[in-house]
Amino acid sequence: MRELADVLRDELAVLQELLAVGRQEQEALMTDDLAGIQAATGRKEELARRLAALEEERQQVMEATPEISAAGAQASQERGRDDDEINRLRDSLRQAVREFQEVNETNRLLARQSLAYVQKMLSLLLPEGVSTGIMDRLV
């Protein structure tokens, strides 16, 4: 079974990819690039599934790792170095999650703003009393 630090490193890599895709999605939202938005959405779904699998693996590793080892001083010293690395990885993960949440919030606001603009334009173009209904992009 893999070590906790390995799983955390993989989780961090996936989160960093998610962050990059979120920023690409942000650019696509700002330029009204529908294909870019769709591509980013698909990639985010794929990365979210990967992150969920890694989180499940992390939980299994946590359950399988004994908290206190009966090994000697050398193992204790190595465990101390591992603990330092794990703490650094956890801090990096927390930071990446915060950044991802900020990007997602900005993307949500951009999407809502675009939707409000489209709804306003439709209300200006349609005669009074006519419902805007739902439009498909293929219409």
Side-chain angles (χ1 to χ4, degrees), residues 69-80:
S69 174
Q74 183 179 1
S76 177
Q77 193 174 30
E78 287 176 21
R79 196 173 62 241

Side-chain angles (χ1 to χ4, degrees), residues 78-90:
E78 287 176 21
R79 196 173 62 241
R81 281 192 298 263
D82 288 347
D83 288 346
D84 288 344
E85 181 182 11
I86 287 169
N87 287 332
R88 281 192 303 274
L89 286 166
R90 285 180 176 157

Side-chain angles (χ1 to χ4, degrees), residues 56-123:
E56 195 172 301
E57 185 178 354
R58 184 195 65 82
Q59 290 175 357
Q60 290 172 356
V61 168
M62 291 292 292
E63 290 171 4
T65 304
E67 293 298 321
I68 300 173
S69 174
Q74 183 179 1
S76 177
Q77 193 174 30
E78 287 176 21
R79 196 173 62 241
R81 281 192 298 263
D82 288 347
D83 288 346
D84 288 344
E85 181 182 11
I86 287 169
N87 287 332
R88 281 192 303 274
L89 286 166
R90 285 180 176 157
D91 289 343
S92 296
L93 280 164
R94 283 186 193 101
Q95 180 63 31
V97 167
R98 279 191 293 273
E99 288 178 39
F100 183 65
Q101 288 171 332
E102 290 171 8
V103 168
N104 267 349
E105 179 64 17
T106 300
N107 290 354
R108 186 184 67 79
L109 292 172
L110 287 169
R112 291 183 83 196
Q113 183 180 13
S114 292
L115 181 59
Y117 176 77
V118 168
Q119 289 174 336
K120 180 65 176 175
M121 290 296 108
L122 284 174
S123 71

